[in-house]
Amino acid sequence: MEKLGAQFPLISISMLIPTLGSFFVVLLPERFTKGISLISTGITFLISLYSLTLFDFSKGDVVQFYEHYPIIPELGISLSLGLDGLSMLMYLLTTLVSLVAVLWSVRDKQINHRIKEYFLWFLLTESFLIGVFASWDLIVFYVFYELTLVPMLFVIGIWGYKLRLYSAYKFFIYIFISSLFLLLGTVSLAVQHYKLFGRFSFSYFDLMNNDYPLGLGIFLFMLFFIAFAVKTPIVPFHTWLPDAHGEAPTAGSIVLAAILLKMGTYALFRFNIGLFPKVVAFLMPILVLWGIFSIMMASWFTISQKNLKRFVAYSSISHMGFVVTSMFLLNLEGFRASIMEMFAHGLTSASLFMIAGFIYNRLHSFNMDALKGSAKFMPLFAIITVITAYSSMGLPGGSSFWGKFLTVLSAREYTTQLALLVIAGAFFSVIYMLYLMKVLFLDTKEESRLVHFADIRGFKLSAFLLLVIPMFMVGLLPSLFFNIFDMSVKKLLLYVMHKLIGG
Amino acid sequence: MDYMGFLIFLGVMLVLSLLLISLNSLLGPKTPESMEDYPYECGVPLYDLSAQSTFHQGYYLLGLLLLLFDIEAAFLFPWTVVYKHLGVFGFVEMFLFVFILTYGLLYAWRRGALDWQFEEEVFER
Amino acid sequence: MEGLLSALIIIGIKILVILAIVLGVGAYLTLVERKVAAHIQRRPGPMVVGWHGLLQPLADGLKLLTKEDLFPRYGNKFLYNLAIVMALVPASLVFAVVPFGPEFEVFGIRVKPILTDVNVGLLLFFALGSLAIYAIALAGWASNSKYALIGSMRKAGIVISYEVVITFALMGPIILAQTLSTYSIVQQQIEQKLWYIWLQPVAFVVYMFAMLAETGRVPFDIQEAEAELVTGFTVEYGGMKFGLFPLVEWYVETLSLSAIAVVVFLGGWSPINIPFVGFIDPLFFLGPLSPFVWFVLKVSLLFLFVLWLHWTLPRYRIDQITSTAWKVMLPLTLVNLVFTAIIAPVVWR
Amino acid sequence: MELRDLIGSIEFPKMALIIPELIVLLTGFLIFTLDLIFKRANYRLYTWISVVGYFMAMLYIAFNPSLSGSTFYGLYVRDYFSSFLQFFMILLTIFVLAFTYHYYKQKLSLYREFYYILSFALVSAMFLASSYNLITLYVALEGVSISFYILTALLRGDFNAKEGAFKYLILGGLSIALASYGAVFMYIYAGSLDLQKILTYSGQNKDLLILGLVFFLIGFAIKIGAVPFHFWLPDAYQGAPTPITAYMASVGKLAFFAPVVRIMPLVQEHFAYAWVITVGIISAMTMLYGNLVALVQKDVKRLLAYSSIAHSGYILAGIAVAKAIGLKAVLYFLVAYALMGAGSFLLLALLERNPQWENRMEEFSGLRFSMPWIAVSFMIFMFSLLGVPPSVGFVGKALVFTALSFDRLWWLAFVMILSTGISTGYYVRLVVLTFMKESSKSIKVESSFAEKVVIFVLTLSVVILGAVPIIIWSFASQSADILFKR
C-alpha cells in the first residue's frame, strides 16, 4: 500500500492533546477538571474535522498523514501512524464519541466522586483509541488495543453500578486473555516474514506480502480471530459484554459500545481479511453463517432482558453480528455495509446508552417494568429516543438502514437463501427495538409519579444532538461517508481477489 | 613401599589393642552382680536412662571452627613447602589468605563465638 | 626377594623397638611420674614393690589384667571397645614418623632409624592426632554416663582447639625446612646449622602449650578433673581397658609429641646448637651412638618438664582453655607464620 | 609437569577486568573492618560506604561496557553479557539498600552482618555471570547461596524466616550436589571443566553429556525455583525480610539464570532436542503451577513469590529456544523481571513498616486513599507483571512469544497464554482491591527520601523501558550476538 507522508504530525498531535489534558487534570485542582477535559476533547474533535478537510478523498486507499518513528529497528517495530479511508472514519467516530462521553459526564449524577481520576481515564482512552485506529504497526496496534483495557477497567470498577467489581474483573480477564492470542499471532506473522524475507517486520504493509501454507494460515487466522471475536463480540464469546456494558457508568458504556466494539470489527476487517485473504475465502461460509447465527441469538437474548442497559448491550451484539456477516461476504457491497454499520452503530448505541442513563438519573432503575411509559412526559427526550430507535432498527433514513440493506444486497449476490437469512436476522433486530419503544411509550404505570420529570436540556441535550445529527447525515446523505472509505475498501477487495486468483 | 612399615605397624597395633581389650575377660574373675554395670552416678536410680541427650552448643561451634581452620590449614601446607620458589607473588597470596583467615577469627571473636561456656544468662522479668 | 626379606626384618626390628617404647617405657613412665610427683611434694612415693618401688608398674599391670570385665548397662558395646582401639592405635602410630637418629650402616645394610620416612610425615602426624578426637568422643558417648559424656566433650573441645594451634604452629618450621618429612626437617636443621627453636620461639611455646592440652596434662586437665568428674570420660571403663587410656594419653602421646617437638624445634638427634656458631657435642666420646643419646636426652627433658608442670600448677576452666587457644595461641601462630614467611629467605640464604 | 614449570607458568591476572568485583569485595571488607573496630555499629555510615562502593563499580562497568577478555587461566570471563548483567545487579542492590535500614529497625532486627554479607552475595552473583568454568560457577553459586541462606534468616524471632531459610538451605544443598554431579559427568565426558569445551567437544559417549547437562540444569532449576524443584521458594521468599526477598527476586534471579543463559549458544545439534524438551516441559510446569497456586494465595508476599516462580517459567520458555532471538528475549525478560520483582517486593517492604500491616490481600483495599502514589506505583508493577503494554513485562512476553514462534513451539506458547490468563486473576484482583474497594482502616507509612526516589525510578523505568524498549534491547541484542559469535 502506498503511503503519503504527513507535512505536519497531525495524528500525533491529536493523540497528545488528550494526554496533555490528562496531565493538567492531575496537576490542577478539581474545579478545572471538567473544563480541561471538555476543551481537550473538543480540540481533538476539531482537529479530526480539520484533518477531514485535508484528506484527499480521491486517494482514499492511500495511507495519509503518515508518520514513522522507529522503536526497535532490528525487529522492525516502529510507531507508524496514518489514516486511510477506513481509519479516517473510525478516527472521526472516536473523537466524536469521546467528546459526547465527556459532555455527558459533565452533568452525570453517577460521577460524584474521584472526578479527577474519571476524566483522566476518559482522556487517556481517547488517546489510546486514536492510536488503535491510526497505527499501521501490528505491535503498536496491540499496545494501544491492550491499553484501552486499563482505563475501562477503572471506569467500570469505580463508577459503575452494583456489580461493578465483578464486571470489571470479567471484562478485563476476557479481553486480556483473548488478546494474548493476538499477541502470539502478531509475533508469529513477523517471524513468518523473517523466514520469508530475512528480516523481522511488524509493519502492516510488509506483512501483507507474507504468504502462508493454508494450514499455518488457518492457525494464524484463528489466533487473530479469537481475539477479535471476543472483542467484537460474536455470540459464544459475548458473555463479558452485558456485564461490562450493563454495569459501566453511562459514559463508559458509550465509549465501550461505540468505539471499543468497533476496535474488534475494525481489526477483523483490517487484519483478518487484509492479511489472510486465502484463509478468509476458504472459511467464508462458516464465518458468514456464524455471523448470522450471532445476530439471531443476540436478538433473542435481547428480547428476554429485563434490565434496560443489558437490553441495549445485547442489541449491540446483534448489530455487531451484521458487521461481521457482511464483512465476510467478501464483496464490495458487503464491505461497504460492514463499515457503514460500524459507524452507524457507533452513533445509535451511544445514543441508546445515553437514553438508558438519562432514565436512570430520573428513576434510579434500569428495570424495564419500572420504566414503563417514562418517555411520555419528556417530549424532547421522547423525540430523540424515537429517532435513535428507528435509526437503530434500520428504517430507511435511519443510520442503520444502509448497513442492513447493503448486507442483504451483498448476500443476494451469493444466493437468495442467504439473503433471506440475513433478512430474518434484521427482522429480529426490529422486533426488540419495537419492544423497547413499546415499553417506553405505550405501557403505562402510575402516571402521577412520573409527571414531575424535568426534560432533557443543556449539556446532555448537546451531547444527544452531536449524535443525532450525524445519524441523519448517515441516513440521508450516505454518499458523504461512502466517499471517505470507498477507495480503500475497493483497494482491499482488489487485493483480496488478486491474492485469490494469483496465489 | 614407603608405607609398608607403617601398614605392618598398623596391623600389629590393631591386633595388640584387640588383645589388650580381651585380656580382662580372659583373665579377670567373673562374679556377676545385679548393679555392677549400672552407670556411675550418685547411687540413686537414674532419672534418665540415656545420657546421650543434649550438650552445650558451644561444642558444635568449636567443631565448626575446627573444620574451617583445618581446611584452611590444608590449603596452606602445600604453600609452605613450595614457598621458596614462589617469591613475592607467593608471599602476597599467602598474606591475603592468612589475612582473610584472621578476619574470620576476629569476627568469631568479636561476635562472642569463643566465649561460650559461661555467658550470662538473661532472665526476662 | 632378598631385599624384601631384609626390609621386612628391618621393619620388624623397628616395630619391636617402638613397641618397647610404647608399652615398656610407657608403663615405666608411670613409675617415673609417681616418683617425680612424690619428690616434688616431698614424699617418697611407691617404695614397697621392689627396690624403691621399681616393680610397681608390673604389679599395677597385673592388677589391671585380673579385674572383672565390666560394661556399662546402657552403653554401646561396639563403640565402647572401638574407642580403645582408636585411642591406642593412632597414638602409637605417631612413632612411625619419628626419626631416632641419623642413617647408619650395620652388616652392610643402610638403616634409617625411622619406620616410615615419607615426604608427608608431618601430615601423617596431624592426621593421626586428629583421630585421637574420635577415641575421646566415642568413649564418652558409648559409655552413656553423664560424667563420661561431659568429660569427653570437654576433652574433645580442647583437642579440637589445640589441634588447629599445633597445625599452625608447625607451619613456620615447615617453611624454613621446605619439607614435610620429619627426617628431612632434622637434616635441614643440621645443614642450616640452626635449631628452629631459635627462630621460632613463639611457635615452640605455643606448641608446648598445645602439647599439654592435647595430652590432658595440668594445667589443661579439665577433662579428668578428679575432684569433679571422677576421671572424666574413662569413668565407665575398667581393668586393662581403663589402664590403656592414661597410658596412651599421659605417656604415649606425651612422648610422641615431645619427640615431634624435638624433631621440629630442637634439631632431632643433633647435639647442642648455638646460633652463628654451629653444633657443639659434649658427648663426642660416645661416637656413633651420640645422636641417639642426644635424642633420648632431649625427649626425656621435655617429658620431665611436662611432669614438673603437672605437679606444680593449678588447672584452668574449660572456657579459659579453649579461649586461650583461639584468642591467644591462634593469633600468635598466624603472626608467627607471616613473620616466618618474611625472614625465611635469610635462613635459606 | 614439573613444579618449576608450573610455577613458571603463573601469569599475572589482568586486573582491569575484575575491577568491579574487586571494588565490591573491598567495600564489603571495609565495612567488615569497621565493624570489627567499632563497638557500636554506625548503620548510616555502612549504608553510605556500600552505596558509594557499588556506585563506583557500576560506573566502571558503565564507562567500559565493551571491556572483554578472560583471565585467571580462563576461570573468569568478562564480556558484554556479563557487564550487562552485572550493571543491573549492582544497580538493584543499591536500590534494595535504600529500604533496608528502616525496615530492619522497625522489625528490631538490625544486624551489621547484613551489610557485608550483602556485598559478598553481590560479588558472588557477579562472578556467576562471568564464567564458563564449572569450578568458578560452583564457588560463586555457593557464595550466593550461603549469603542468601543467612540473609533469609535475618529476622529476629520470626518463625517463618527460620523455616524458610532452613528449607532453602536443605534444597540449596541438594541443588549444589546435583549441579556438581552434573559437572562430574560432563568432566568425564570431555575431560575439561570449561563449559565451552565440554559442549563443543565431540566425544563418543553422548549419553554421559546429556546426563551431566540434565543434572547440571536441575541443580540450577532448584535455585531458580522451577517446578517441581520449587518447594523452598515460597517459604524462603515469604520468610525472608522483604527487602531481601526483593533482592532474591531481582539479583538472585539474574545471577542464577546467568550461567544457564550463558550456555544457550553452546547447545549443539545432537542434544538440542533433549534441551528443548527438558527445558520446555519444566517451563510449562513452572508457569502453570506458579500461576495456579498464586491464584489461591491470601498472603500477598507469598502470592508474589509464586508469581516469581511463574516468571521463572516464562524465562525458561525463552531458554528452551536456544537461538539468538531466544537469548535476546530471555535477557530482556530477565532484566524486566528483575526490575518488576524488585519494585513490587520493595513496595511491600515499605508497607510492612506499618505495624498493622500483615500482607493480607484485603489490606490493599483503600490503599489508593491513604497512599495514592504508592498505589499508583503498585498498580504499574502489577500491570507490568501481568504484561499490559507499554511495560517491560509486556515487551518481555512479546519477545518470548517471538522466540517461541520462531521455533514453532506452539504448545509452549499456548501454555504460556493459558498461564498468563490465569495470572490475570490475581494481579487484577490486587489492582481492583487497591483502587476500587474502600476500607475503614487507613494505613500510612512515612517513607524516606531515598525510598521515594527508588520507587519513583523503578516505576518510571518499568514504563519507560517498556515504551522505549530499544534502551535495553540494544544491549541485550548486542550481548546475545557476541555470545553467539563466540
Side-chain angles (χ1 to χ4, degrees), chain A residues 74 114 117 142 147 169 195, chain D residues 328 368 389 406 425 435 477:
Chain A
E74 190 185 337
R114 298 165 79 172
E117 275 177 74
Y142 179 82
L147 266 179
Y169 211 48
K195 288 189 172 157
Chain D
K328 291 170 190 179
R368 182 236 168 276
F406 201 87
F435 278 85
S477 166

Side-chain angles (χ1 to χ4, degrees), chain A residues 126-352:
Chain A
E126 185 176 7
S127 286
F128 300 154
L129 285 170
I130 295 172
V132 167
F133 291 121
S135 58
W136 290 88
D137 184 286
L138 264 70
I139 279 287
V140 177
F141 168 81
Y142 179 82
V143 168
F144 287 119
Y145 181 87
E146 287 277 276
L147 266 179
T148 53
L149 279 183
V150 178
M152 279 303 129
L153 171 73
F154 283 92
V155 167
I156 298 172
I158 299 176
W159 296 277
Y161 299 101
K162 259 183 202 145
L163 278 174
R164 58 178 180 272
L165 288 186
Y166 167 76
S167 312
Y169 211 48
K170 193 171 177 181
F171 165 72
F172 193 93
I173 289 176
Y174 262 72
I175 310 282
F176 187 80
I177 295 178
S178 65
S179 55
L180 282 172
F181 290 100
L182 171 61
L183 179 60
L184 180 61
T186 308
V187 296
S188 305
L189 281 182
V191 169
Q192 183 70 13
H193 192 263
Y194 177 82
K195 288 189 172 157
L196 291 173
F197 299 98
R199 67 186 179 83
F200 284 102
S201 174
F202 284 95
S203 164
Y204 182 74
F205 315 115
D206 288 340
L207 294 179
M208 279 174 89
N209 300 327
N210 276 10
D211 198 18
Y212 320 93
L214 193 63
L216 180 66
I218 289 177
F219 175 68
L220 294 177
F221 176 87
M222 286 319 287
L223 288 179
F224 275 72
F225 186 75
I226 290 170
F228 300 137
V230 173
K231 188 86 181 177
T232 299
I234 305 176
V235 156
F237 304 119
H238 70 286
T239 50
W240 63 273
L241 186 135
D243 287 318
H245 288 209
E247 298 303 325
T250 309
S253 305
I254 293 169
V255 172
L256 274 170
I259 322 179
L260 262 73
L261 300 190
K262 303 304 163 300
M263 273 161 55
T265 48
Y266 167 84
L268 273 177
F269 195 84
R270 178 74 80 202
F271 300 121
N272 278 23
I273 295 179
L275 295 177
F276 310 96
K278 276 197 260 177
V279 182
V280 176
F282 179 73
L283 293 176
M284 190 195 91
I286 303 172
L287 294 169
V288 169
L289 287 179
W290 196 346
I292 294 173
F293 170 76
S294 178
I295 301 172
M296 295 193 175
M297 293 305 288
S299 306
W300 286 341
F301 293 151
T302 313
I303 299 168
S304 63
Q305 295 305 314
K306 276 278 170 243
N307 180 316
L308 181 58
K309 262 195 129 168
R310 291 175 78 89
F311 182 96
V312 179
Y314 273 110
S315 82
S316 288
I317 305 176
S318 88
H319 277 93
M320 286 297 112
F322 276 106
V323 177
V324 173
T325 311
S326 52
M327 180 188 308
F328 287 121
L329 283 167
L330 287 189
N331 52 27
L332 184 59
E333 301 309 325
F335 282 2
R336 284 170 137 186
S338 170
I339 292 163
M340 269 323 266
E341 182 66 29
M342 281 188 222
F343 191 73
H345 175 254
L347 301 176
T348 52
S349 68
S351 186
L352 281 172

